[in-house]
Amino acid sequence: MTRFWDIPVHDSTRVRDVRVAAEAAGGHARLGPHRTAVAALVATEPAANLFKHAGGGSIVIDVVERPGEGEPVPAVQHASLDHGPGIHDVTAATRDGHTTSDASLGAGLGTCRRTSSAFDLFGSHRGTVAVARTDPDPGISRVTAPPGPRAGGINVPLAHAEHSGDAWRLARSGPRPTLMPADGLGHGVGAAHASGTAADELRRSAHLPPADILRHMHPALRPTRGAAVAVAQLDTDRAELAFAGVGTIGAVPHTGTSWEPLILHPGIVGARFPATVPVRRLPWGPDNVLVLHSDGLPARWTPPDGPGLPTHDPAVVAATIPLDAGSSARPPRDDTAVAVLARARAGPVS
Ligand SMILES: [Mn+2]
């Protein structure tokens, strides 16, 4: 069962907690001692920035799968979230040796970019999101990340819990990537077991069309509490997205000029499976973006927006959504997972 660390960072004492969490996550991901040390470094640098420059924020650490063909490779993902003033010149800030009012800011983020497997950040007037992933192979994932659409996500457990009742997963079958969020009923370990079972079953069924994937999951989830599950499958040859879902999951594609929510069928995979599962098909161009989210996100959330945001790492795009939607006046009511299917990146993969 995937372990999570959601660590509020408002003073220097929590940076040590972030390092300890990153080292533990490195153990879960079997990174080995060297890459675990890298994971700890790329987690602590943004953590230090949170209290030095942003007035505090949080670091969310979990183990995700490196995108690519073949057997999934685990990677430690750190997301740094803050509502601070933002880093105005990101390119300069991540260049090694860049100096700001505090010289350690630029040098630190440059180190993160160079040593991690993937590093990206986005700052706006609403705050800053930085995401780093560290996998076991130094330098490998930058060249093996497949071309075409990319997916990523963030999963924030309710009330800093060690487990999330939500899960998201990307599975590939030939030219068809399938992105799935699942929200186990309730929260805590029982919910995590239900959504984690759905994620495991996705790998066994990613060759099937979306409604059949959900039907395949239903018996596997019977021994669990059950989950709301949505499946979005992209056929890159036909430039078409096929979508099906059962239960309460948010699914909002941006096609053309607007964000238009998709309707899911009521029910619970593993408990009350509907007699029919409608499948929605959408033409899918390289500039389209799909946001999938659990109901931990407030009903009225702001679609990702900002100069160039859709071209960023999909995990960064995903993390901006709970950051923008969240405030102390509106604390989340449940675990919050957001997964994003985004356009292909022009230029080198980072
Ligand atoms: Mn839930």
Side-chain angles (χ1 to χ4, degrees):
M1 191 169 294
T2 307
R3 172 79 158 79
F4 289 80
W5 295 264
D6 176 13
I7 303 169
V9 179
H10 293 280
D11 60 64
S12 62
T13 62
R14 301 312 298 273
V15 176
R16 182 186 168 280
D17 298 344
V18 169
R19 190 179 70 240
V20 169
E23 287 167 354
H28 280 257
R30 300 193 180 147
L31 292 190
H34 175 66
R35 295 300 282 169
T36 294
V38 169
L41 175 74
V42 300
T44 50
E45 283 293 339
N49 286 337
L50 285 178
F51 73 86
K52 282 194 228 165
H53 304 287
S58 63
I59 298 271
V60 179
I61 301 176
D62 68 334
V63 177
V64 299
E65 290 177 356
R66 184 179 80 187
E69 301 290 346
E71 279 297 298
V73 175
V76 174
Q77 176 169 290
H78 321 92
S80 162
L81 309 157
D82 72 68
H83 287 107
I87 297 170
H88 295 296
D89 187 345
V90 166
T91 309
T94 54
R95 199 179 294 142
D96 275 337
H98 173 74
T99 53
T100 61
S101 56
D102 180 339
S104 70
L105 171 66
L109 292 181
T111 303
C112 291
R113 173 156 282 172
R114 197 178 62 252
T115 55
S116 62
S117 309
F119 178 81
D120 193 14
L121 84 137
F122 180 80
S124 75
H125 64 280
R126 294 192 183 123
T128 302
V129 168
V131 170
R133 283 183 298 278
T134 308
D135 66 38
D137 307 322
I140 300 292
S141 64
R142 289 171 197 269
V143 290
T144 56
R150 303 168 301 145
I154 185 162
N155 193 341
V156 185
L158 178 67
H160 314 290
E162 295 183 357
H163 300 285
S164 174
D166 296 345
W168 67 271
R169 187 67 57 86
L170 176 75
R172 284 176 194 271
S173 177
R176 291 200 310 249
T178 302
L179 184 62
M180 179 215 74
D183 178 353
L185 254 61
H187 51 87
V189 172
H193 176 54
S195 59
T197 302
D200 292 343
E201 289 303 318
L202 178 68
R203 187 168 305 123
R204 298 187 186 100
S205 56
H207 59 286
L208 300 171
D212 290 344
I213 291 175
L214 295 168
R215 274 183 210 105
H216 168 95
M217 284 177 182
H218 177 57
L221 264 68
R222 270 195 197 283
T224 76
R225 288 183 188 178
V229 184
V231 172
Q233 190 172 72
L234 186 58
D235 186 328
T236 48
D237 290 343
R238 295 168 62 180
E240 182 182 82
L241 185 83
F243 175 85
V246 170
T248 307
I249 294 272
V252 190
H254 185 274
T255 55
T257 54
S258 62
W259 295 89
E260 186 195 337
L262 298 174
I263 306 301
L264 276 75
H265 218 62
I268 301 164
V269 178
R272 296 196 312 274
F273 200 84
T276 57
V277 180
V279 176
R280 177 84 187 270
R281 293 178 194 281
L282 306 168
W284 201 254
D287 286 344
N288 295 156
V289 177
L290 173 68
V291 174
L292 300 168
H293 67 87
S294 68
D295 63 357
L297 203 62
R300 294 173 63 181
W301 54 275
T302 316
D305 185 29
L309 177 58
T311 63
H312 277 267
D313 187 300
V316 167
V317 180
T320 62
I321 296 170
L323 180 72
D324 288 352
S327 73
S328 51
R330 285 191 302 179
R333 301 153 298 160
D334 199 355
D335 312 302
T336 305
V338 181
V340 167
L341 187 66
R343 70 174 72 173
R345 177 186 283 271
V349 175
S350 66

